[in-house]
Amino acid sequence: GAVVSQHPSRVICKSGTSVKIECRSLDFQATTMFWYRQFPKKSLMLMATSNEGSKATYEQGVEKDKFLINHASLTLSTLTVTSAHPEDSSFYICSARYGPYGYTFGSGTRLTVV
Amino acid sequence: GNSVTQMEGPVTLSEEAFLTINCTYTATGYPSLFWYVQYPGEGLQLLLKATKADDKGSNKGFEATYRKETTSFHLEKGSVQVSDSAVYFCALSDRDSGGSNYKLTFGKGTLLTVNP
């Protein structure tokens, strides 16, 4: 149980275009979801926390106008990278909280901006 | 604020060797502690967790004990296998600085390579 599905797993886009990444909870309702960015050989950087039906809370230094997060339902959160540039290339991972102590993670999205 | 410090490695071991990855934490409240594992190109998988002091989490031969007195949660395995090669993250869950949301704070990860 507590499975999160993240799509796409890989995406290549041209500089200046926007890319949407989806994160779905398959067998539970996720009131809180998290979006992380992972750089090569580095830990995960929390970008933002999204609560269903309300605006996301962004971590310091994360551009909210560039990384748009929508959590419109209890099973879906999306991250849109707007006007992507090569420096946005990274591995993005979503996570959802379930129960009092549980966090489950998506399989990640490798974004390459060319 | 909350923080997690773990040995960064990389750690290279021979098959059947004993593994220890140290993890210490700083938290303002009473956190839950976790070890996650990440295989190449994949997301994170929960390896084990402990929710209160003196709890021992265990899974797939890995163990870690929540030590409040030393604020530690060291990961151990008695005999590693080649298939254990991955990145291991120590993490804690506690309320954020605003006090309204629980979130995970991660260590920097430890790359483990096990050679046959």
Side-chain angles (χ1 to χ4, degrees):
Chain A
V3 176
V4 165
S5 176
Q6 183 174 345
H7 293 281
S9 58
R10 290 179 177 272
V11 59
I12 300 173
C13 70
K14 292 184 177 179
S15 187
T17 62
S18 296
V19 173
K20 180 184 285 187
I21 302 170
E22 292 189 349
C23 183
R24 293 181 183 273
S25 58
L26 299 185
D27 51 1
F28 68 105
Q29 293 183 330
T31 54
T32 303
M33 287 189 170
F34 306 89
W35 287 95
Y36 295 87
R37 181 173 178 177
Q38 186 175 34
F39 297 92
K41 299 183 180 179
K42 294 286 186 181
S43 186
L44 292 95
M45 180 192 79
L46 178 64
M47 300 174 66
T49 302
S50 72
N51 291 300
E52 185 268 338
S54 62
K55 290 183 178 180
T57 302
Y58 289 81
E59 296 297 304
Q60 192 172 8
V62 177
E63 298 177 61
K64 58 182 67 177
D65 293 332
K66 173 173 240 344
F67 299 100
L68 300 179
I69 291 171
N70 185 285
H71 192 167
S73 78
L74 287 171
T75 59
L76 176 64
S77 177
T78 60
L79 167 68
T80 301
V81 183
T82 63
S83 187
H85 291 283
E87 57 265 30
D88 299 325
S89 298
S90 194
F91 193 59
Y92 294 87
I93 304 175
C94 69
S95 174
R97 184 159 172 259
Y98 66 96
Y101 308 113
Y103 298 84
T104 185
F105 289 80
S107 55
T109 297
R110 172 70 61 192
L111 170 63
T112 303
V113 184
V114 297
Chain B
N2 299 330
S3 67
V4 175
T5 302
Q6 68 178 99
M7 57 188 287
E8 293 189 29
V11 175
T12 302
L13 297 173
S14 297
E15 206 165 23
E16 299 184 1
F18 184 85
L19 169 71
T20 299
I21 301 178
N22 290 336
C23 172
T24 57
Y25 67 90
T26 302
T28 54
Y30 299 93
S32 297
L33 302 175
F34 305 82
W35 277 100
Y36 286 90
V37 58
Q38 185 180 32
Y39 299 99
E42 299 184 10
L44 273 68
Q45 300 176 26
L46 177 65
L47 181 59
L48 53 85
K49 69 176 186 281
T51 58
K52 61 183 187 297
D54 299 325
D55 270 1
K56 177 187 283 188
S58 61
N59 185 27
K60 299 180 182 179
F62 291 90
E63 293 184 341
T65 301
Y66 188 162
R67 301 285 188 200
K68 189 177 179 182
E69 63 275 15
T70 53
T71 61
S72 65
F73 193 54
H74 304 320
L75 181 68
E76 296 182 338
K77 186 173 185 181
S79 176
V80 293
Q81 306 300 312
V82 173
S83 58
D84 293 327
S85 298
V87 179
Y88 292 82
F89 291 96
C90 184
L92 70 83
S93 174
D94 198 0
R95 291 188 184 275
D96 62 18
S97 56
S100 58
N101 282 312
Y102 282 92
K103 66 178 184 181
L104 282 173
T105 300
F106 285 93
K108 291 187 176 181
T110 302
L111 173 62
L112 170 66
T113 301
V114 180
N115 295 318

